[in-house]
């Protein structure tokens, strides 16, 4: 990767002259051509081979190959190593080549993007790759920035421009960049030419035509050289020059100086747009390229793709080292044996077998033998293992891609495994970190119910007054009378419509309030096609509801609000907005209606509103309060609405006070708050609204299942505490039957520390009471929390807000936080930044030896998705950033259960079985040579035919184990989901660990022992049926090889739980292939062609036609397999695991046929919580009354002349708010429910029938 | 740390997601096939008492009779073994074994009398056995040239390097080359029946039919098409230890040169350091008379082959064979043992299963 970036000379500073290619070319800065591909056709082979041999395994086999070329050492023919090695290399190379092909394609696509470059005074379209440092380029809205550019000017006032930096840091919020004041008015080409330093050679004739001539003329004029216009112009201009830091990868820093017109201007990061950003909300901007292509900060930052490795990979690496150590041990033992043997026997055997020239003494012979045995025994280090694992993972990924049950019809999105290296780790996840908005919830607020004047609306009743469940089929209210209605809005209770039609004044007032009291910005793109931009989706939902019920909010100016009330256009004068904030928890507007009445409309949290009601409303308050409880119990977000008629004189006085207060400098906020408080008294209650924050489908069930699988779910959300908790309750993360929910919300380190400690002590204290029954001594042994963790029966939850989290994540507190969090069933972190999300994940990842999974949908989740072991992106939603950063993606949160409990579990199960068997097989195969060493003078003579050694792993035994690794299922998917506890062995690493490794190594050794010694016993006296001698090496080899192939085939048969046709084909096929190849290799024909390479001619025929050989093979197979069967039978019979039980159940069910399903219900909670549906920050009120944000609704890019001195500060404010609300795109913010599938029925684990 | 793993494609950011209305686009819905949905019909065996225990009993019940059969057959085979190495002073071959030299021109002969207590019916096979002889040593095993032995003229003149140091002798290629050929067993064994009437009757030994058919007809061929082997082996020299060149091994042209069966038998290297190789067959003459009647016999050995230096042993074995080959008590015993163990294991498992087993193990599944 780093080849091309290594510059020969180190750039100390960068000097760029604007639009002076000739000048800039001298420095040989990188152009804007990027190359992420690694190879081209010529370099592919050498580079790819070089890379492949950097891998330890491949290098090891290369060394072996070289060793084999030394005749004194070579104990195997060259082909036994080279065939598998070449196979492995070819497979990897093909994969690399395909990957690189796609990189080439995407490079090409990016390089060929069009961009407008100022060349010779006019804008010309250029491909990205042709852009050079110093070029001046024009960017338009929603375009990607082509290179790192210095912002010169933009369509916005003050040279402001907005960018989205999601590609760089994962934040979707808009950031503002401002051009230097001296360049910010270079808004058109003519002025830009002024900045342009291009040395021009233009003919006058040319200059007399068209636009170009104009600019040249301008240029000439500006340069003061108009008189010099002759036939040719040749004029160096005082052009801008930038001197700045050399390319680096710091995204948030830039230092440089702009030299222009003999002045110096400082440049910083605020004036630079980086490649990868997207221009937003800015019509156009001009910039000068400073860093291009590979020298851009984005590219400097990339390349170090973090290659995620699974824990099994890491374990395997350790184990391979162990195997290697074992190999060396065996080599040493045999080498010593060889030395001894040569001394005792070999020396005197020289009559028949003289020592050769290299064999000066027995010790040297031993040394050579060591290497020979390293070569022979190399098959214990499984070369094909890594490739096979890749193949398995690839297969598992395909199964994820193909899973029809993870396909989401509405968005037409199938699940996608974007990486193929992690599949088995999906079976080991212990922590799930989830985003809330868009992941757990749909981020759709739906006006679902309301209570008006003591009457609830929203439920549908049948003729028997029974509440009807609302489904897709329930007929909804017909809003066709209203031409301005939002067609996506659905409401099912007809009675509310009737009340409107009856012109019930309270109902009308109710919706009028909803239409007036908000800070939504309307946009009427075409007549009657209204789009609302709301600060929060809640507000949007309310205004949309009012709109559909005939109170259409149509437009607003700073002073007026125009409604279309039941078809009549009514304009209210907006007198004041008493904005929302977190303390007030309410907002009000004061309006004057056309009749001249002044009214105050207020909406807010129920408790707050109720405190300010007129005493006469008490009865209504109680009724409404009951309704609110009901709504809250259903997980709806509620708001209370009230109004008040204002007296003209009173208002005049109050308004004056307000105006005064808003001009004071000190304590302005407090004074305003007092004034607001004063007027918001004695309100008349209208009713309450209930908004449903729609959960994604199946979220509570999924969470319940994952909980049962001992997966801890942490919700990390940018939402405020109340919203997060509310969602926590509605999706079963928080429950009323939990012992305690700790809320950590401190503002200082000490506060947070105290709260964390208190919470922890409470948990430990309680469990101490419950668990340590009277044992005084034991209570002191609390040091190890992890022990305690398991003894906890009680359930706790922890809710922590962003402030506290910032403190809690400091080094001195993070341990405490983690300990506490791990004691809790549920952890919810609210108001967290993307960075904090990553920190939390990192915290768990680094301190707990657990696999973490992060799931999210937005760019703010990118950091966490990248940090976690496994990142999952929700696709089919807004941006693709999360998906692009993720390892797996699918459309709905509920697919997570299938991904983990079914695919993850299977992958883990398959991979573990595969590894165990692979290790067993290799040991059984190879160690026969070790035993044989003791009977062949430790001479490194192989037992098997060389061809058998070559083909054993890649032909005779590879496919059955691959088939098992791909298709095996201990328990089918439905049972996997029905019994989530089946997932636990993966988390505890039970199926493949060092112990398992030892067991299987031992089994392999045992098998090899039997494989050798049973034929050994028989062969010492074996005679053919025709009396000819038979105990020769080749017969011995064929017998053992055949036994081995049969034994490992039987063993794979026993290890396979799920015999599909493919398994049958592969197992029987492999056996058949073995015999076919055996006879083919030992046929006369091959021998005649290559007599030296096929010396086994005829052995198979002579050997396998003997009954005694088959008796030996049968005996060996039975003896090798029976102990294993007995042990596993005993284990299943005496200590069955859950898997065994479920398998048993599954089988007995299958025999009995489908049965009545037993439903297990998850208890639905309902508790009173006040959840007010409001956005999270200071409202837009100030902006609306000042009219400053009205620009957003106008399309004209013209400079807004109202750039007041404090302009940039409100701009900042607005930006802050805007990203909070994320209502940039209109269809997101106000989207009526697409499906009427409400979560009113108690969620249950629906169990499909078998 | 954010903008790691960048690929140019990511920069696009907005990959178009076809909406639900995009009817022209092919749906991304995965195919609903049993294979892709992992619902392939499958046999799912489980190790239960119902399958495992009977299997054990069946194995036991099959293996024990086989074992008994093998054991009985093996015991019925008559076998007689004579160690003629000459280690003991009392041994007739002691002298020969002591004064041994490869180059001695005068053959040393020793005579060993023995007595067969039972008559040997049917064909009797005569083996020579060597102990502590590492025919399976790697350097030994590879020291041959199969190409040469297969009659390749090129290899005859230019033996493979594997044959070193027995590839060339006095600058002439060795035929057959290599350590295996060079160390060919060259004792001559002759068997005499001492008639009770005092006459010594030489028993005719058949020296053909002792090698594998494939070896004799496929693997080993004389070079060239010249029936005159002396000419065919022109330019080569005999292995150092041999007394006669390869084309003088036998007078029978069908058993001479590389296709000499004694040579072929020797070239099929043994798997273990103690081995026996077929030397001769004593054909049954007629059904009335046993091939080797009860009585006194004399074995006459021309003692050429030195094994004392590496503490090797030489034996002669006379044996009859059965349907399963030669005498081999190992297999019978092994089968009986394994069969009984399996049966016992079945019983033990049955008891364990009955006492502690979880017969009804799906009842207590909890979550």
């Amino acid at each position: 990767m780093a080849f091309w970036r290594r510059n020969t000379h180190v750039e100390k500073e960068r000097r760029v002259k604007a639009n002076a290619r000739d000048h800039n070319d001298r420095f040989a800065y990188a152009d804007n051509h990027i190359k992420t591909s690694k190879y081209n056709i010529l370099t592919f082979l050498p580079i790819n081979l070089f890379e492949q041999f950097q891998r330890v395994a491949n290098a090891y086999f290369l060394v072996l190959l070289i060793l084999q070329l030394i005749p004194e050492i070579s104990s195997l023919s060259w082909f036994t190593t080279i065939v598998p090695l070449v196979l492995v290399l070819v497979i990897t190379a093909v994969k690399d080549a395909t990957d690189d092909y796609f990189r080439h394609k995407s490079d090409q696509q990016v390089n060929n993007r069009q961009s407008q470059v100022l060349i010779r005074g006019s804008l010309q379209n250029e491909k990205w790759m042709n852009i050079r440092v110093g070029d001046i380029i024009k960017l338009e809205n929603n375009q990607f920035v082509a290179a790192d550019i210095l912002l010169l000017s933009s369509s916005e006032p003050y040279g402001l421009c907005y960018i989205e930096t999601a590609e760089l840091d994962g934040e979707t919020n808009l950031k503002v960049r401002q051009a230097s004041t001296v360049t910010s008015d270079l808004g058109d080409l003519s002025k830009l030419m002024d900045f342009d330093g291009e040395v021009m050679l233009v003919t006058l004739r040319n200059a007399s035509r068209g636009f170009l001539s104009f600019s040249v003329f301008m240029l000439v004029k500006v340069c003061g050289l108009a008189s010099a216009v002759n036939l040719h112009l040749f004029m160096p201009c005082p052009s801008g020059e930038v001197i700045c830091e050399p390319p680096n990868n710091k995204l948030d820093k830039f230092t440089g100086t702009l030299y222009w017109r003999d002045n110096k201007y400082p440049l910083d990061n605020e004036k630079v747009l980086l490649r990868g950003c997207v221009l937003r909300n800015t019509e156009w901007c001009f910039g000068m390229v400073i860093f291009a292509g590979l020298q851009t900060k984005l590219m400097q930052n990339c390349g170090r793709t973090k290659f995620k490795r699974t824990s099994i990979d890491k374990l395997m690496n350790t184990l391979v080292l162990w195997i290697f150590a074992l190999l060396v041990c065996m080599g040493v033992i045999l080498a010593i044996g060889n030395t001894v043997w040569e001394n005792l026997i070999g020396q005197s055997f020289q009559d028949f077998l003289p020592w050769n020239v290299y064999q000066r003494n027995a010790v040297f012979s031993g040394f050579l033998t060591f290497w020979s045995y390293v070569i022979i025994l190399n098959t214990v280090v499984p070369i094909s293992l890594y490739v096979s694992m890749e193949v398995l993972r690839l297969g598992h990924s395909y199964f994820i891609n193909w899973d029809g049950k993870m396909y989401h019809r509405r968005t037409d999105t199938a699940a996608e495994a974007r990486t193929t290296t992690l599949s088995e780790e999906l079976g080991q996840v212990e922590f799930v970190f989830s985003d809330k908005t868009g992941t757990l919830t749909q981020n759709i607020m739906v006006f679902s119910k309301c209570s008006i004047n003591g009457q609830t609306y929203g439920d549908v009743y049948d003729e028997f007054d029974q509440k009807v469940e609302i489904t897709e089929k329930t007929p909804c209210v017909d809003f066709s009378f209203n031409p301005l209605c939002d067609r996506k809005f659905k409401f099912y209770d007809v009675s509310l419509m009737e009340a409107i039609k009856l012109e019930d004044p309270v109902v009308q007032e109710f919706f009028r309030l909803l239409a007036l009291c908000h800070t939504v910005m309307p946009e009427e793109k075409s007549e009657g096609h209204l789009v609302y931009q709301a600060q929060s989706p809640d507000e949007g939902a309310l205004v949309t509801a009012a709109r559909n019920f005939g109170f259409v909010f149509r437009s607003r100016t700073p002073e007026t609000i125009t409604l279309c009330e039941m078809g009549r256009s009514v304009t209210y004068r907006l007198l004041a907005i008493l904005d929302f904030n977190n303390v007030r928890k309410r907002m009000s507007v004061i309006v004057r209606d056309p009749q001249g009445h002044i009214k105050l409309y207020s909406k807010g949290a129920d408790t707050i509103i109720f405190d300010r009601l007129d005493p006469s409303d008490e009865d209504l308050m109680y009724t409404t309060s009951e309704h609110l409880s009901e709504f809250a119990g259903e997980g709806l977000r509620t708001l209370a609405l009230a109004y008040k008629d204002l007296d003209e004189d009173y208002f005049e006085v109050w308004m004056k006070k307000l105006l005064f207060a808003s001009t004071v400098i000190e304590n302005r906020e407090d004074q305003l708050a007092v004034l607001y408080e004063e007027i918001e008294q004695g309100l008349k209650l209208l009713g309450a609204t209930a908004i449903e924050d729609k959960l994604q489908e199946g979220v509570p069930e999924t969470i319940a299942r994952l909980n049962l699988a001992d997966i801890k779910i942490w919700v990390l959300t940018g939402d405020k505490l109340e919203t997060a908790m509310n969602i926590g309750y509605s999706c079963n993360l928080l429950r009323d039957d939990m012992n305690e929910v700790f809320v950590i919300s401190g503002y200082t380190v000490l506060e947070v520390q105290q709260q964390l400690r208190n919470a922890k002590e409470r948990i430990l204290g309680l469990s101490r009471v419950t668990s340590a029954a009277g044992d005084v001594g034991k209570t002191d042994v609390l040091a190890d929390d992890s022990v305690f963790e398991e003894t906890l029966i009680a359930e706790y939850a922890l809710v922590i807000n962003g402030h506290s989290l910032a403190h809690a994540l400091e080094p001195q507190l993070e341990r405490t936080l983690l300990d506490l969090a791990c004691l809790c069933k549920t952890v919810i972190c609210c108001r967290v930044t993307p960075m904090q999300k990553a920190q939390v994940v990192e915290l768990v990842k680094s301190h707990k030896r657990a696999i973490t999974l992060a799931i999210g949908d937005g760019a703010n989740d990118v950091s966490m998705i990248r940090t976690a072991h496994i990142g999952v992106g929700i696709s089919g939603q807004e941006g693709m950033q999360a998906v692009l950063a993720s390892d797996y993606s699918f459309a709905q949160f509920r697919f997570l259960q299938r991904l983990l409990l079914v695919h993850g579990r299977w992958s883990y199960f398959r991979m573990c079985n595969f590894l165990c068997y692979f290790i067993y097989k290799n040991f059984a195969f190879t160690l026969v040579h070790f035993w044989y060493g003791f009977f062949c003078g430790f001479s490194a003579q192989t037992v098997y035919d060389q061809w058998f050694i070559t083909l054993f792993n890649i032909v005779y035994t590879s496919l059955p184990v691959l088939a098992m690794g791909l298709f095996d299922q201990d328990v089918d998917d439905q049972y996997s989901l029905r019994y989530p506890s089946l997932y636990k062995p993966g988390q505890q690493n039970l199926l493949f660990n060092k112990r398992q490794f030892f067991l299987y190594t031992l089994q392999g050794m045992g098998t090899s022992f039997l494989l050798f010694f049973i034929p050994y016993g028989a062969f010492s006296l074996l005679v053919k049926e025709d009396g000819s001698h038979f105990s020769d090496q080749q017969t011995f080899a064929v017998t053992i090889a055949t036994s081995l192939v049969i034994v490992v085939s039987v063993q794979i048969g026993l290890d396979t739980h799920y015999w599909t046709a493919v398994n049958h084909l592969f197992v029987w096929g492999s056996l058949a292939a073995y015999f076919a190849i055996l006879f083919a290799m030992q046929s006369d024909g091959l021998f005649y062609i290559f007599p030296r390479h096929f010396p086994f001619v005829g052995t198979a025929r002579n050997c396998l036609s003997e009954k005694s050989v088959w008796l030996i093979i049968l005996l060996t197979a039975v003896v090798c397999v029976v102990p294993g069967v007995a042990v596993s039978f005993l284990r299943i019979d005496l200590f069955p695991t859950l898997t065994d039980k479920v398998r048993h159940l599954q089988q007995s069910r299958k025999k009995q046929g489908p049965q009545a399903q037993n439903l297990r219900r998850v208890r639905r909670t309902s508790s009173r919580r006040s959840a007010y549906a409001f956005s999270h920050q200071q409202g837009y009120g100030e902006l609306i009354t000042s009219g400053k944000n009205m620009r957003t609704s106008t399309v004209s890019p013209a400079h807004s002349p109202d750039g007041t001195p404090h302009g940039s500060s409100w701009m900042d404010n607005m930006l802050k708010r805007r990203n909070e609300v994320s209502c940039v795109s209109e269809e997101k913010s106000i989207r009526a429910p697409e499906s009427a599938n409400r979560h009113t029925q108690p969620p249950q684990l629906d169990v499909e029938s078998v | 740390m954010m903008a790691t793993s960048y690929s140019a494609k990511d920069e696009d950011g907005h990959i178009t997601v076809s909406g639900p209305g995009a009817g022209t686009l092919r749906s991304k819905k995965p195919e609903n096939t049993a294979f892709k949905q992992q619902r392939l019909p499958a046999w799912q065996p489980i190790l239960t008492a119902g399958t495992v225990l009977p299997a054990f009993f069946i194995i036991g019940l099959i293996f024990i009779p086989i074992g008994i059969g093998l054991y009985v057959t093996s015991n019925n085979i008559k076998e007689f073994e004579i160690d003629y190495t000459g280690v003991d002073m009392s041994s007739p071959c002691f002298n020969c074994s002591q004064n041994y030299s490869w180059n001695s021109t005068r053959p040393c002969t020793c005579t060993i009398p023995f007595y067969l207590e039972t008559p040997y019916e049917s064909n009797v096979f005569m083996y020579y056995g060597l102990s502590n002889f590492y025919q399976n040593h790697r350097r030994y095993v590879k020291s041959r040239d199969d190409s040469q032995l297969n009659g390749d003229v090129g290899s005859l003149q230019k033996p493979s390097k594997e044959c070193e140091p027995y590839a060339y002798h006095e600058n002439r290629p060795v035929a057959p080359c290599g350590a295996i050929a060079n160390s060919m067993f060259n004792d001559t064994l002759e068997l005499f029946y001492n008639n009770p009437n005092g006459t010594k009757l030489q028993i005719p030994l058949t020296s053909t039919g002792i090698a594998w058919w494939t070896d004799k007809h496929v693997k080993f061929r004389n070079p060239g098409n010249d029936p005159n082997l002396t000419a065919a082996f022109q330019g080569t020299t005999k292995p150092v230890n041999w007394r006669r060149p390869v084309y003088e091994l036998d007078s029978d042209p069908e058993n001479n040169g590389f296709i000499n069966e004694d040579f072929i038998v020797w070239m099929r290297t043994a798997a273990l350091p103690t081995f026996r190789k077929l030397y001769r067959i004593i054909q049954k003459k007629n059904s009335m008379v046993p091939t080797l009647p009860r009585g006194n016999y004399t074995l006459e050995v021309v003692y050429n082959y030195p094994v004392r230096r590496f503490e090797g042993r030489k034996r002669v074995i006379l044996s009859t064979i059965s349907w399963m080959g030669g005498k081999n008590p190992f297999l019978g015993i092994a089968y009986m043992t394994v069969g009984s163990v399996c049966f016992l294991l079945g019983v033990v498992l049955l008891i364990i299963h009955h006492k502690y087993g979880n017969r009804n193990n799906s009842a207590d599944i909890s979550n």
Side-chain angles (χ1 to χ4, degrees), chain A residues 677-956:
Chain A
E677 188 73 38
E678 182 191 319
I679 201 162
E680 289 166 328
Q681 289 295 342
L683 303 174
K684 288 200 185 101
L685 187 63
L686 279 171
T689 58
I691 290 175
E692 186 182 349
D693 186 357
K694 287 201 82 154
L695 288 181
Q696 299 272 7
E697 272 173 70
V699 166
E701 293 88 333
T702 306
I703 287 177
R705 277 221 180 95
L706 295 182
N707 262 329
L708 285 176
D710 267 5
I711 298 172
K712 297 200 171 76
I713 301 174
W714 294 27
V715 176
L716 309 178
T717 172
D719 269 329
K720 68 190 169 101
L721 197 87
E722 287 83 354
T723 324
M725 282 180 76
N726 203 23
I727 291 300
Y729 276 104
S730 60
C731 60
N732 258 322
L733 276 169
L734 301 177
R735 287 185 303 275
D736 279 343
D737 57 342
M738 286 186 145
N739 296 46
E740 198 155 343
V741 176
F742 300 104
V743 178
I744 309 289
S745 53
Y747 283 89
T748 63
V749 182
L750 285 177
E751 256 181 307
V752 174
Q753 187 173 19
Q754 198 52 44
Q755 290 180 357
L756 289 174
R757 291 211 173 132
N758 287 345
K760 196 174 162 190
E761 266 161 33
R762 271 194 70 84
I763 297 180
L764 295 179
L766 280 176
S767 57
R768 206 176 296 170
V769 174
T770 51
S771 67
D775 196 336
V776 190
K778 260 186 189 167
T779 49
D780 294 330
V781 200
L782 277 180
D784 192 4
D785 292 329
S786 59
V787 180
F788 234 87
E789 215 174 295
E790 287 158 19
T791 61
L792 280 181
I793 322 142
E795 293 191 344
Y796 299 92
L798 176 72
V799 180
I800 185 164
N801 70 10
H803 275 295
S804 318
L805 193 62
H807 293 305
L809 285 175
E810 282 168 25
Q812 73 266 27
L813 276 184
E814 59 176 26
R815 222 29 251 208
T816 326
L817 172 71
L818 188 67
D819 290 344
L820 176 63
C822 291
L823 289 172
C824 296
K825 276 261 164 176
T826 300
V827 178
I828 297 180
C829 305
C830 10
R831 314 248 41 193
V832 290
T833 61
M835 203 56 224
Q836 281 179 328
K837 287 185 176 184
Q839 283 173 341
V840 172
V841 177
E842 188 63 47
L843 176 71
V844 174
K845 206 172 139 186
S846 55
H847 290 293
K848 289 259 155 191
R849 297 180 116 229
I851 307 296
T852 55
L853 179 146
I855 178 168
D857 69 319
N860 59 340
D861 307 315
V862 168
S863 60
M864 125 176 134
I865 285 174
R866 286 220 171 112
T867 311
H869 290 103
I870 302 166
V872 177
I874 300 285
S875 52
Q877 310 262 327
E878 33 184 313
M880 289 295 285
Q881 279 89 3
V883 173
L884 288 171
S886 68
D887 304 310
Y888 295 91
S889 71
F890 42 73
Q892 292 271 301
F893 180 79
R894 70 189 146 102
F895 296 149
L896 186 64
Q897 58 179 334
R898 212 174 152 78
L899 183 74
L900 297 184
L901 299 184
V902 178
H903 289 286
R905 211 186 78 84
W906 277 347
S907 278
Y908 176 71
F909 168 80
R910 290 164 180 172
M911 188 59 86
C912 292
N913 273 3
F914 169 81
L915 288 174
C916 289
Y917 176 78
F918 213 92
I919 286 165
Y920 157 80
K921 184 185 78 167
N922 276 320
F923 273 88
F925 165 55
T926 310
L927 258 55
V928 171
H929 292 126
F930 180 75
W931 311 119
Y932 192 48
F934 291 89
F935 300 94
C936 67
F938 305 94
S939 59
Q941 172 60 33
T942 55
V943 176
Y944 313 111
D945 179 13
Q946 314 259 328
W947 288 108
F948 180 79
I949 296 175
T950 313
L951 299 178
F952 175 75
N953 262 331
I954 55 177
V955 176
Y956 301 149

Side-chain angles (χ1 to χ4, degrees), chain A residues 71-72 74 107 109-110 113 144 167-169 275 280 298-299 301-302 305 341-342 348-349 351-354 356 359 372 399 401-404 407 410-412 414 835 863 866 880 903 906 910 932 935-937 939-941 967 969 979 981 1014 1016-1018 1021-1029 1031-1036 1057-1059 1084 1087-1088 1091-1092 1095 1097 1102 1111 1114-1115 1118-1119 1128-1130 1133-1134 1136 1138 1141 1143-1144 1146-1147 1150, chain B residues 1-6 8-15 18 20 27-30 35-49 52 56 63 70 102 125 127 133-134 136-142 145-147 150 155 160 165-166 179 183 210 212 214 218-219 221 241 265 268-273 276-278 305-306 309-310 321 323 325-328 330-331 334-335 338 345 349 352-353 356-358 361-362 364-365 367:
Chain A
E72 301 317 312
S74 166
D107 280 355
Q109 188 213 335
V110 169
R113 280 197 193 143
F144 275 101
E167 278 301 326
L168 291 167
D169 54 15
R275 181 176 180 139
R280 297 279 189 214
L298 175 69
M299 297 304 288
N301 252 309
C302 77
T305 310
W341 186 88
E342 291 285 354
S348 48
F349 194 57
D351 284 341
F352 297 121
L353 184 63
N356 54 29
Q359 227 167 353
S372 302
F399 279 128
N401 293 347
W402 286 335
D403 192 339
Y407 166 77
R410 207 170 55 220
T411 50
D412 188 33
M835 203 56 224
S863 60
R866 286 220 171 112
M880 289 295 285
H903 289 286
W906 277 347
R910 290 164 180 172
Y932 192 48
F935 300 94
C936 67
S939 59
Q941 172 60 33
F967 305 115
Q969 301 178 12
Y979 298 105
S981 301
I1014 290 176
Y1016 170 79
L1021 284 171
L1022 206 61
V1023 165
K1024 247 177 109 169
E1025 284 160 39
D1026 65 359
S1028 57
H1029 75 108
S1031 53
D1032 68 294
Q1033 226 195 347
Q1034 296 187 336
T1035 316
F1036 193 62
H1057 299 76
Y1058 193 79
W1059 279 81
D1084 305 353
F1087 176 76
Y1088 286 139
R1092 280 180 193 156
V1097 57
N1102 283 293
L1111 285 173
L1114 176 67
L1115 182 70
V1118 167
V1119 173
S1128 37
F1129 169 72
L1130 274 183
D1133 203 42
L1134 298 183
L1138 182 65
K1141 293 178 188 170
R1143 270 174 70 75
H1144 205 87
Q1146 185 181 333
Q1147 201 168 54
K1150 207 171 274 170
Chain B
M1 62 157 293
M2 297 296 186
T4 49
S5 85
Y6 170 83
K9 199 176 144 207
D10 289 0
E11 215 176 3
D12 271 336
H14 301 279
I15 289 167
S18 66
S27 163
K28 289 184 192 127
K29 184 175 169 61
F35 176 73
K36 289 192 173 178
Q37 303 307 324
Q38 305 194 63
R39 279 189 280 103
L40 286 176
W43 171 53
Q44 301 179 52
I46 301 185
L47 290 183
T48 57
V52 174
F56 276 65
F63 270 40
L70 284 173
W102 275 112
F125 294 82
Y127 303 91
F133 191 101
Y134 284 82
N136 58 5
H137 194 283
R138 176 168 60 91
R139 277 186 289 119
Y140 186 87
V141 169
K142 70 174 186 180
D145 186 344
D146 280 312
S147 184
N150 194 34
S155 301
S160 155
Y166 298 112
S183 58
I210 57 171
W212 291 6
T214 45
V218 179
K219 197 170 179 183
R221 284 194 299 191
N241 288 356
V265 165
R268 185 154 280 280
T269 53
L272 299 166
R276 51 170 76 168
K277 285 176 187 282
L278 186 56
Y305 204 69
R309 268 189 67 189
F310 56 90
I321 56 167
W323 59 270
K327 192 180 184 74
N328 191 344
F330 173 85
L331 266 184
Y335 262 88
V338 171
L345 206 59
L349 289 181
I352 292 178
H353 175 67
Y356 311 101
N358 239 325
N361 58 13
S362 56
D364 56 335
I365 299 177
N367 264 313

Side-chain angles (χ1 to χ4, degrees), chain A residues 538-570:
Chain A
D538 302 58
E539 276 209 318
L542 292 176
V543 180
T544 309
R547 166 181 170 181
N548 276 41
F549 283 104
F551 288 79
V552 186
F553 167 59
R554 199 123 190 221
S555 64
R556 73 153 85 228
T557 67
E559 286 94 32
T560 62
I561 297 177
T562 306
L563 301 189
C564 179
E565 288 184 6
M566 307 307 288
R568 293 189 314 275
S569 183
V570 185

